[in-house]
Amino acid sequence: MEVSHADILVVVTIAVLAPLLADLTKRAKVPIVVLEIFLGIIVGPQVLDLAATDSFIDSLATFGLAFLFFLAGMEIDFERIRGEPARLGVIGWLASVAIGSAAAVILHVTGVIHATVLVALALSTTALGTLMPIFRDAGILDQRFGNFVVGAGAAGEFGPVVVVSVILAFEADEPLRALLLFVFAAIVVTATLFALRARPARVVRLVQTTMGTSGQLAIRLSLLLVVALAVLASEFGLDVILGAFAAGIVVGIVIRGTDSHEFLGKLDAVGFGFLIPVFFIATGMDYDLDGLFSDPASLALVPGFALLFLLGRGLPAMLLYRRRLSATERTSLALFSAAALPLLVAITQIGLDTHTMRPEVAVSLVGAGMLSVLVYPLLGLARHRRAERERPLGN
């Protein structure tokens, strides 16, 4: 497919417009990602038809998705979430899988869906990477409550990524390739240990001296690691987002405890300033709006799936954290955990590629994900602000 420079111009223009429009909604802060998807739909083939995705935009979007998970992996501080936050996060995700499986079986029996496993998995996901900028801006990551949010989000994002990778191996009729997941994990651990211990003086010096020059060795090394682990995961029959997530974890462990403010700012600039917006805008441009509105059943499934996200992710949060968080904090955690989107795109694409998920169900799931990212974080932030007002002074 020939690359259209006009389409690229439209994508970049939307990337600029999204934060400008988000600034106009200060009272009810709309996440920029939602505006990017919405504007992508508006300019896409099914509304104004100003632009469409091509091979170049698709490639950038894939790298943007990988970078989103890379940055999410970097945010996970295992020292802070180890113990209760991590344990409760894993238990909560397993409970979400059980609830999602029960809901998917009921939907399958009633003839609403066919891809029972994929829908069950979709109902157990969360959008940690998407919400990290919101958490950071609200100061949540610096609080005890933030440890539980990250613990729950990490389990709800990492668990489904692993399962998706296993599903891909079985869908390819090569179940033994699922065993390569453990080989991949061993390689990631080895890479982490090597990065922590092998610090050649010349490389360390170049990293420091090129941070403010055109060399930018630290950024280039990070990009190399993202691409290398993503390609390795793909070669092993796993999903590329697993490799990107693992790369973020490795880099996060290596820089933990160092003065990395400038380094992190540059990575944010590369990711949120360029690559990640392309992914969300392209998601909107490819969204099958006609398919959604042409089928009343598909349209009805959007709020239905959104409520199932809240049930599947929110109920475990309300029950498991009773002795650790106040009722208001638990409600906020439930709402944050119920937001899902990036993994939904990956899961529905698997369903469409393997012909196990009907297009109308895929459209409804992604639509529900967009609705959840728009509504639940706003409600969660409101509850969080209330929890802060209720918190006794000095706590």
Side-chain angles (χ1 to χ4, degrees), residues 310-326:
L310 187 58
L311 175 66
R313 294 294 295 159
L315 184 59
M318 293 300 295
L319 296 177
L320 289 174
Y321 296 80
R322 284 178 297 177
R323 297 181 181 179
R324 284 84 180 176
L325 302 174
S326 68

Side-chain angles (χ1 to χ4, degrees), residues 162-200:
V162 173
V163 176
V164 163
S165 297
V166 174
I167 289 175
L168 283 174
F170 278 89
E171 289 293 345
D173 292 326
E174 298 180 20
L176 291 179
R177 292 182 68 176
L179 296 177
L180 292 175
L181 181 64
F182 298 99
V183 178
F184 179 77
I187 293 174
V188 171
V189 171
T190 302
T192 304
L193 294 175
F194 177 80
L196 286 171
R197 297 181 180 180
R199 296 175 181 265

Side-chain angles (χ1 to χ4, degrees), residues 22 60 71 129 147 177 186 190 216 249 255 299 332 346 356 387:
L60 285 178
L71 293 179
N147 296 338
R177 292 182 68 176
T190 302
Q216 297 294 333
I249 292 175
I255 68 171
L299 192 59
S332 180
T356 57

